[in-house]
Amino acid sequence: MNLDSSKKIAGYAHPEALVSTDWVAENLGKHGITLVESNEDILLYETGHIEGAVKLDWHTELNHPLKRDYLEPEQFAELMSRKGISREDTVVIYGDRSNWWATYAFWVFKLFGHEDVRIMDGGRALWINQGRELTKEIPEGTTEYPVVPRQDSEIRAFRDEVLNHLGKPLIDVRSKAEYTGERLHMADFPNEGATIGGHIPTAHSIPWSTATAEDETFLPVTELERIYLQETGFDKNQDFIAYCRIGERSSHTWFVLKYLLGLSSVRNYDGSWTEWGNLVGVPIAKGEHPGEAA
Amino acid sequence: MSSAEVIDNFTLLPEAERLNMLLEYSEALPTVPEQHDGFDFERVEECQSPVYLAVEVEDGKVSLFFDAPREAPTTRGFASVLHSALDQSTVDEVINFDDSFPDKLGIAHLISPLRMRGIRGMIGRIKRLTRELSE
């Protein structure tokens, strides 16, 4: 599938992972492209969505039904088949709140090695603000998506790996108040049950939305370099891990680091604070400073 | 509409259609009448999306007013469900309203736990404001 050759997108390290709303409008209905809408508000899709887009519900469809984990390979294949997505499809994901849940879905697609997945820059809000059409029509049709193994190791970090990572690039993407330990949860969200507030020692605080502009698009590449590399002093070739509360906000930062900045090793710690803040015996830092690796 | 009728509206439906019912509720949330502009709205902090609530008590009857953006249909839906179940109830009915009402709608597993706390937050605030206004 052709890439978005607009100047802004061509400037990113992996321009094949991002498309503009213009590109989507031009390629609407083209064979081989499936649009996927993934929102924080799970009813938004039903109020209207881009023509041909299928809904992916992050809460009920991407998680394992019994344990805190993602789908098994068979379940993912079944989900994709039910949504009418083929393994060869160009999957373009967009959503509300600056593509927060769209990047989460993107990350899950990548756990299963789906090759051509892209985010629509600016997400649902930009599409609507540009006065583009929505429909309530729900696409039908199924496919036969193959069962492929889930590959966690490259892009997913587990707690013991994080414990061994202290002192290396670690980014806490939650709000400042969550980072310092003043709050146990996001300002407008109720507590999801972490026992202790604070952050993983040595983690830098860069709230996820720092990477987005007011129109919900990603900042240009030079701005992102300044925020994540120059201001932190991190080296592009180091291993990076990002975390938040359950791994959704940090998948946004993961996407920025890996696909827009092109860092070679970036993992999302989806256990995040709801795991770390409850683990027995792990070190925790409070306050504004990253703290020391014990 | 009584809260039992609201519960029936959801639970008599097959599971796959219950979220659509919530969407219908969200579309039916009454707009705040103009004379209530500048009314003392309180933000429901427990909700992920902005929703504002005002309560009025007159002759022992409780009136509820909600303001929530169209871009937040789930939050609007919950506000509208509570409006249907509680608006024009008596003070006693509101104060004694069943706290487990949200669980009885049969949608808890379709909605994230955060959302369910959001609707409980609304109920808590409605009760507190009603109590304050009727003292």
Side-chain angles (χ1 to χ4, degrees):
Chain A
M1 196 56 62
N2 66 319
L3 300 185
D4 187 325
S5 55
S6 61
K7 194 170 165 230
K8 182 194 171 201
I9 287 177
Y12 294 120
H14 291 282
E16 73 279 9
L18 194 67
V19 292
S20 61
T21 50
D22 280 343
W23 185 94
V24 170
E26 282 159 25
N27 289 281
L28 217 52
K30 208 180 253 185
H31 182 72
I33 299 180
T34 304
L35 287 174
V36 172
E37 182 166 320
S38 173
N39 295 320
E40 191 270 335
D41 191 314
I42 46 133
L43 283 184
L44 264 182
Y45 172 88
E46 281 79 7
T47 67
H49 49 265
I50 302 178
E51 186 190 332
V54 294
K55 171 186 178 177
L56 201 57
D57 183 327
W58 66 276
H59 176 59
T60 57
E61 295 184 319
L62 296 180
N63 295 311
H64 193 286
L66 290 177
K67 53 183 175 179
R68 183 165 174 197
D69 206 344
Y70 297 94
L71 298 177
E72 301 290 348
E74 294 75 19
Q75 297 168 320
F76 184 75
E78 189 276 321
L79 174 70
M80 293 297 102
S81 304
R82 190 155 41 84
K83 300 285 170 185
I85 298 171
S86 298
R87 185 73 174 163
E88 303 72 36
D89 273 1
T90 298
V91 173
V92 178
I93 313 179
Y94 70 96
D96 63 349
R97 298 191 176 217
S98 305
N99 278 322
W100 173 353
W101 268 266
T103 51
Y104 190 52
F106 182 105
W107 183 72
V108 175
F109 272 84
K110 288 299 182 188
L111 286 177
F112 290 96
H114 192 103
E115 191 168 328
D116 193 352
V117 194
R118 309 178 188 189
I119 295 289
M120 183 177 83
D121 200 17
R124 185 184 161 90
L126 185 63
W127 182 272
I128 291 170
N129 291 338
Q130 289 172 333
R132 301 181 194 264
E133 296 277 304
L134 296 180
T135 177
K136 288 190 178 177
E137 208 169 300
I138 293 171
E140 284 178 19
T142 56
T143 51
E144 291 219 7
Y145 197 93
V147 175
V148 286
R150 198 181 76 207
Q151 288 169 329
D152 288 344
S153 60
E154 251 186 59
I155 60 171
R156 187 177 186 198
F158 293 92
R159 59 180 184 237
D160 292 343
E161 296 167 336
V162 176
L163 198 53
N164 288 321
H165 186 87
L166 306 190
K168 296 181 194 161
L170 182 60
I171 300 178
D172 184 317
V173 316
R174 298 172 300 159
S175 61
K176 281 282 179 199
E178 291 169 274
Y179 178 85
T180 58
E182 186 191 323
R183 298 189 78 107
L184 278 169
H185 51 91
M186 275 177 279
D188 300 337
F189 290 59
N191 182 16
E192 258 191 343
T195 316
I196 300 177
H199 56 269
I200 301 176
T202 75
H204 280 241
S205 167
I206 310 178
W208 71 279
S209 57
T210 312
T212 58
E214 211 154 285
D215 65 357
E216 304 207 359
T217 58
F218 291 103
L219 292 177
V221 70
T222 48
E223 286 289 295
L224 298 176
E225 277 166 355
R226 178 181 59 76
I227 294 164
Y228 292 99
L229 298 172
Q230 287 148 20
E231 286 181 3
T232 57
F234 290 150
D235 178 344
K236 267 186 114 139
N237 299 311
Q238 287 178 288
D239 290 333
F240 284 71
I241 293 178
Y243 73 92
C244 58
R245 180 181 56 101
I246 56 170
E248 15 63 64
R249 283 176 285 175
S250 46
S251 57
H252 190 275
T253 298
W254 168 83
F255 178 82
V256 168
L257 296 176
K258 189 166 178 65
Y259 289 90
L260 303 185
L261 285 176
L263 308 189
S264 53
S265 171
V266 192
R267 284 173 293 166
N268 180 21
Y269 170 40
D270 59 277
S272 278
W273 199 253
T274 48
E275 178 171 77
W276 198 272
N278 288 312
L279 274 176
V280 175
V282 295
I284 283 172
K286 278 197 188 273
E288 286 176 17
H289 296 290
E292 305 287 326
Chain B
M1 191 180 289
S2 72
S3 62
E5 285 170 289
V6 175
I7 290 170
D8 281 351
N9 277 346
F10 282 91
T11 53
L12 296 180
L13 286 175
E15 241 181 52
E17 287 169 35
R18 290 179 196 167
L19 285 185
N20 272 327
M21 177 54 68
L22 190 59
L23 186 64
E24 279 182 33
Y25 270 99
S26 96
E27 284 162 359
L29 178 68
T31 46
V32 178
E34 266 179 35
Q35 66 264 34
H36 287 291
D37 273 359
F39 205 73
D40 207 6
F41 275 91
E42 170 171 316
R43 168 139 194 201
V44 182
E45 301 284 350
E46 292 84 353
C47 284
Q48 282 156 292
S49 306
V51 52
Y52 297 86
L53 161 73
V55 174
E56 201 180 50
V57 176
E58 221 178 292
D59 302 332
K61 292 262 182 202
V62 179
S63 300
L64 298 178
F65 305 95
F66 291 97
D67 196 6
R70 297 217 161 258
E71 307 79 70
T74 304
T75 301
R76 277 181 71 89
F78 279 150
S80 178
V81 161
L82 292 179
H83 188 272
S84 293
L86 283 174
D87 188 54
Q88 301 312 310
S89 298
T90 65
V91 168
D92 280 349
E93 283 166 342
V94 170
I95 290 172
N96 296 317
F97 185 63
D98 180 5
D99 285 319
S100 63
F101 170 78
D103 302 309
K104 293 181 176 165
L105 298 171
I107 53 173
H109 58 291
L110 303 172
I111 302 270
S112 75
L114 288 172
R115 293 276 183 200
M116 294 307 289
R117 286 181 217 189
I119 186 171
R120 287 189 202 107
M122 288 189 215
I123 296 173
R125 280 164 194 270
I126 291 169
K127 288 189 175 188
R128 176 175 54 74
L129 289 168
T130 302
R131 218 176 281 126
E132 284 170 9
L133 287 168
S134 55
E135 270 165 11

